[in-house]
Amino acid sequence: MNKEERNKRYLAYVSAKSPKTEVWPSLFFAFIIGGLICCFGQAVSDTLANWFPYMTETELGAWTLVVIIFITCILTGVGLFDDIARFAGAGTIVPITGFANSICSSAMEFRREGIIFGMCAKMFTVAGPVIVFGIISSIIIGVVYLFL
Amino acid sequence: MKKNNGLGQSTIVFKNKPRIESYYSMVGKKEGQGTFKKYFDCILNDDLCGQKSFEVAEREILERTILGALDKNNVDLSDIDFMIGGDLLNQIISSSFSARHFETPFIGLYGACSTMCESIAIGAALVDGGYAKKTICATVSHFAAAERQYRTPLELGNQRPPVSQWTVTGSGCTILSNTNRGHYVSMATFGKVTDYGVTDANNMGAAMAPAASETLAEHFKDTGTCPDDYDLIVTGDLGKLGSEILRDLMEHRGYKLGTNYCDCGQMIFSRNQRTFQGGSGAGCSASVLNSYILKQMDAGVYKKVLFMATGALLSTVSTQQGETIPCIAHAIVIERGEENADDIS
C-alpha cells in the first residue's frame, strides 16, 4: 500500500472515529443566548428612546451598539465572556458581542508586548478579516447603489 | 555497521544503568485538582506564578522544578555536568533562559511534547557512556503561553472542538546519575518522524498516534519484547481519542495493548474538568512521569515501565499554510532499582 492510499484510509478512519460537535445542544444554547442578547439590545434601544425622545432610529441603533460593546468589553476584561461563549457559541459570536470580544481579547493578550507594537498592532489579529470584508462589501454595495 | 550498544535500528541499551537520582514535579492549579493531585510535589495557586507574563511564569516554573529536584535528594548543582531540556515556546526560550541561572552546560531540545522522553534518553546516553556523572533532564509547558502562541487569545469567546486537548501547566525534572541506587533507564528507542496526512491542528491525538505506533512496534521488534512484558506502557499526551487510535493501530500491527496501557494526557485531568480529550504539552508527560509513575515505582507497584512521549512537530506557520503534521515519539524503559542494590554493570 503506498503512502497516499495509507493516509487516505487513515484520515477516513480518523474522521469516523473522532467525536463531533453535538448539533442540537449547540443550536439550542446559541438560539437562547443569542436571542437573549438581541432582546437585551432591544430593551436598551427602547429605554434610550424613552429617555431621549428626539433621537432618530439610526442614532438609537448606534448608541445601543455602544452599550452592548461596552458591556462585552467589561465582561471580557473580567474574564467572564469566554465562559458564557463556551455555551453560547454562535449566540455570542454573531451579534456585535463577538466582534467586540475579538478585538478586546486580542488587545488584552498582546498588551505585554508593548502598547504600539503589541496592543495596537495586534488588536485586529482576529477581527481584521471581518473589517476587510466589511469594507469591501460596503464598497461594492456603494458602487451598485450609485448606478441604481 | 553494527552498533556497540544497539538493538535493531532504533533502540539503544544502557549497560551501565543510568539511575534516576532525584525527580520533582510542579503543576498549575487546574492540574492540581485533577487525578494525580496527591502525587505532585508542588501545586501552584497562581498560574502567573507571581510574574508579569505567562512566558516568564513558565520559566519560573521550570527553574523552581529543577531547584526542587536538586533539593529533594540534596544533589549539588556543581556536580551536574549537563542540563538537557526543552519546551514549547518559540526558540525554546523557557529552557534556555532558565539555563542562564544554573551555569551548567546546556543542551536545548525541541521535540514538542516528546521532549521529556528525548531529554532522558540523551541524558541516559551521556551518563551511560561515561561522558557525564549527573544530568538534569527537564521540560515545561504552560497552558496560557502555549494557547497564545499556537491558538487564539485567551479571553476570545470561541468554542473548543470536541477533539481538542488542554495544554498542561506543569513541569517535571529528572536527575540522572551514575550512582548505583534508584530506578534506572535500561533502554531508549528513538522514533522516526511520521506523517499520516492529518492537517487538523486541533486533533493532535489522531496526528500523533501513528508516530506512537511506529515507535512502539519498532521497540517491540528491536528488543524482542511484547506488551505483556511491561507492568505499564504509558504514552505522553495522545489523549482519549489518540490512545484509542493507538490501540487500533497496534492491533493492526499484531500487538494487543492490554489494561497495562494508559496515557498521561487522558489521565491527568478528571472527567468533570471539561478538557475534552485530556491534557497535552511537554509538561504533561513530564509532570506525570515525575510524580505518579516514579512514585508508584518507588512503592513497588510497577517494576518495568515503558514510557513513550509523543510530539507534534508543527508550527503556526505550517498549519496556516495547510501543511500536514509530522509527529514523533520516543520511548524509554525504566526499571525499578532495588534499594541498596550493587551496580552490576
Side-chain angles (χ1 to χ4, degrees):
Chain A
M1 188 165 43
N2 68 13
K3 277 191 177 171
E4 263 179 41
E5 178 68 16
R6 179 199 69 183
N7 291 1
K8 221 171 118 187
R9 276 195 193 186
Y10 181 67
L11 293 178
Y13 157 82
V14 165
S15 85
K17 200 172 173 73
S18 300
K20 309 281 180 296
T21 307
E22 292 174 30
V23 176
W24 291 109
S26 303
L27 283 176
F28 176 76
F29 285 115
F31 177 75
I32 294 290
I33 300 179
L36 282 175
I37 292 172
C38 295
C39 291
F40 176 74
Q42 191 59 51
V44 171
S45 176
D46 289 352
T47 314
L48 287 174
N50 217 0
W51 287 349
F52 308 102
Y54 304 109
M55 257 192 197
T56 62
E57 276 293 312
T58 333
E59 279 177 319
L60 276 177
W63 280 107
T64 307
L65 291 184
V66 168
V67 171
I68 293 179
I69 289 171
F70 177 77
I71 294 174
T72 305
C73 291
I74 295 287
L75 288 177
T76 306
V78 295
L80 277 176
F81 189 86
D82 57 327
D83 292 328
I84 303 169
R86 191 178 300 140
F87 290 102
T92 46
I93 293 174
V94 175
I96 193 80
T97 45
F99 186 69
N101 166 254
S102 69
I103 293 184
C104 186
S105 61
S106 304
M108 284 165 66
E109 188 79 15
F110 295 102
R111 170 66 187 87
R112 290 194 188 97
E113 276 85 315
I115 296 215
I116 305 292
F117 292 108
M119 191 175 84
C120 299
K122 294 195 172 153
M123 195 185 263
F124 300 101
T125 45
V126 183
V130 183
I131 298 174
V132 171
F133 284 109
I135 292 173
I136 291 176
S137 51
S138 64
I139 290 173
I140 294 172
I141 289 170
V143 170
V144 171
Y145 188 72
L146 193 70
F147 292 105
L148 280 180
Chain B
M1 192 185 85
K2 198 178 180 315
K3 285 178 280 186
N4 282 337
N5 296 322
L7 274 178
Q9 193 192 7
S10 315
T11 306
I12 52 177
V13 178
F14 303 119
K15 289 181 181 156
N16 299 321
K17 297 185 177 177
R19 303 281 178 165
I20 295 174
E21 188 169 350
S22 183
Y23 59 90
Y24 192 84
S25 58
M26 183 179 281
V27 292
K29 196 174 175 185
K30 187 179 174 97
E31 292 71 18
Q33 293 162 346
T35 322
F36 300 125
K37 56 187 168 202
K38 284 189 291 189
Y39 297 94
F40 295 122
D41 292 298
C42 177
I43 296 169
L44 299 164
N45 287 322
D46 166 27
D47 275 358
L48 261 175
C49 218
Q51 304 299 316
K52 65 180 195 306
S53 76
F54 293 119
E55 287 76 12
V56 184
E58 179 168 317
R59 210 177 297 162
E60 177 76 18
I61 293 173
L62 181 62
E63 285 168 21
R64 286 198 206 172
T65 307
I66 293 172
L67 290 175
L70 291 166
D71 285 348
K72 191 171 169 182
N73 267 358
N74 295 321
V75 182
D76 202 358
L77 183 60
S78 57
D79 293 337
I80 301 289
D81 294 309
F82 294 100
M83 171 182 165
I84 307 165
D87 55 88
L88 297 180
L89 297 188
N90 289 339
Q91 286 80 39
I92 55 166
I93 50 170
S94 304
S95 312
S96 43
F97 281 40
S98 304
R100 285 184 299 198
H101 300 292
F102 294 105
E103 295 181 349
T104 304
F106 169 66
I107 303 172
L109 303 176
Y110 184 77
C113 312
S114 71
T115 311
M116 191 66 216
C117 214
E118 194 180 4
S119 68
I120 294 182
I122 291 173
L126 287 170
V127 172
D128 187 63
Y131 302 108
K133 289 197 181 79
K134 290 178 203 281
T135 60
I136 289 174
C137 308
T139 59
V140 65
S141 63
H142 193 299
F143 169 75
E147 197 72 7
R148 64 192 302 242
Q149 177 178 308
Y150 287 99
R151 298 188 185 95
T152 52
L154 281 178
E155 297 299 333
L156 184 72
N158 57 349
Q159 283 181 319
R160 304 171 74 83
V163 289
S164 65
Q165 286 171 264
W166 187 277
T167 307
V168 165
T169 301
S171 172
C173 175
T174 309
I175 296 179
L176 297 174
S177 85
N178 63 354
T179 54
N180 54 11
R181 292 175 66 172
H183 315 311
Y184 58 96
V185 186
S186 58
M187 284 183 263
T189 303
F190 290 96
K192 297 170 194 158
V193 175
T194 308
D195 189 340
Y196 272 36
V198 176
T199 48
D200 182 1
N202 282 309
N203 201 345
M204 290 295 183
M208 297 190 296
S213 82
E214 193 83 35
T215 304
L216 203 52
E218 196 73 21
H219 177 82
F220 291 143
K221 200 179 85 189
D222 284 352
T223 57
T225 52
C226 68
D228 291 338
D229 291 333
Y230 298 95
D231 298 320
L232 183 72
I233 297 172
V234 58
T235 47
D237 58 352
L238 290 177
K240 185 170 170 291
L241 174 67
S243 37
E244 282 168 15
I245 295 177
L246 177 64
R247 277 181 192 276
D248 286 354
L249 289 174
M250 288 309 285
E251 202 158 332
H252 192 68
R253 287 172 186 266
Y255 297 101
K256 192 161 172 46
L257 297 176
T259 48
N260 61 344
Y261 167 67
C262 61
D263 179 72
C264 299
Q266 187 180 359
M267 294 186 297
I268 190 165
F269 293 112
S270 55
R271 275 191 188 169
N272 54 12
Q273 286 185 296
R274 292 191 308 202
T275 56
F276 292 110
Q277 302 302 325
S280 69
C284 178
S285 56
S287 59
V288 176
L289 172 73
N290 289 297
S291 59
Y292 175 75
I293 297 173
L294 287 175
K295 281 180 184 171
Q296 291 292 67
M297 289 188 81
D298 287 344
V301 178
Y302 304 128
K303 292 198 165 61
K304 195 174 180 187
V305 172
L306 176 59
F307 172 71
M308 177 169 66
T310 48
L313 305 173
L314 79 175
S315 80
T316 44
V317 177
S318 73
T319 307
Q320 283 175 345
Q321 293 182 353
E323 300 259 359
T324 54
I325 306 171
C327 295
I328 197 158
H330 303 295
I332 52 169
V333 177
I334 304 172
E335 295 188 43
R336 184 168 195 265
E338 301 303 329
E339 281 298 307
N340 302 318
D342 288 328
D343 192 6
I344 39 164
S345 59

